[in-house]
Amino acid sequence: VAVGVQRLNVLAPDTRIGGLRCTDQGARMITILVVNQPLTIVHDDPAAEPAQRFLLPNGQNIIVEAEALRMFWYDTAVERWRILR
């Protein structure tokens, strides 16, 4: 399992992301570290490519607070990113 790490410098309040594109075809986990401002991860965002979307618990968006760490894994069965923590 490959691990990709992204450190996101959020410049605007109320920033949202609806998907992640993985450039390493073998990567199945990614870590997001948000600095300076909260970031909203959008559940199954129709604006994102289907294979890049997040499948979040209870179908709810999540907010990642500044300096927080969130880990996701890619579920090939449903072609979505799922949250680990």
Side-chain angles (χ1 to χ4, degrees):
V1 174
V3 177
V5 177
Q6 291 189 13
R7 183 174 178 91
L8 301 178
N9 189 14
V10 179
L11 300 176
D14 301 321
T15 298
R16 301 161 60 95
I17 62 169
L20 291 174
R21 183 176 57 149
C22 187
T23 56
D24 179 354
Q25 294 297 326
R28 293 293 175 252
M29 188 184 319
I30 191 163
T31 302
I32 298 178
L33 176 61
V34 178
V35 299
N36 77 352
Q37 292 196 53
L39 172 74
T40 300
I41 308 291
V42 179
H43 168 76
D44 209 21
D45 186 355
E49 292 293 324
Q52 297 174 5
R53 296 178 187 173
F54 295 96
L55 184 60
L56 302 173
N58 303 315
Q60 299 292 314
N61 297 346
I62 60 168
I63 296 174
V64 182
E65 297 297 334
E67 299 299 332
L69 176 75
R70 291 293 180 265
M71 296 176 72
F72 296 88
W73 65 282
Y74 192 76
D75 184 346
T76 56
V78 295
E79 296 184 322
R80 298 289 190 274
W81 290 99
R82 293 182 181 262
I83 193 167
L84 284 175
R85 66 173 217 149

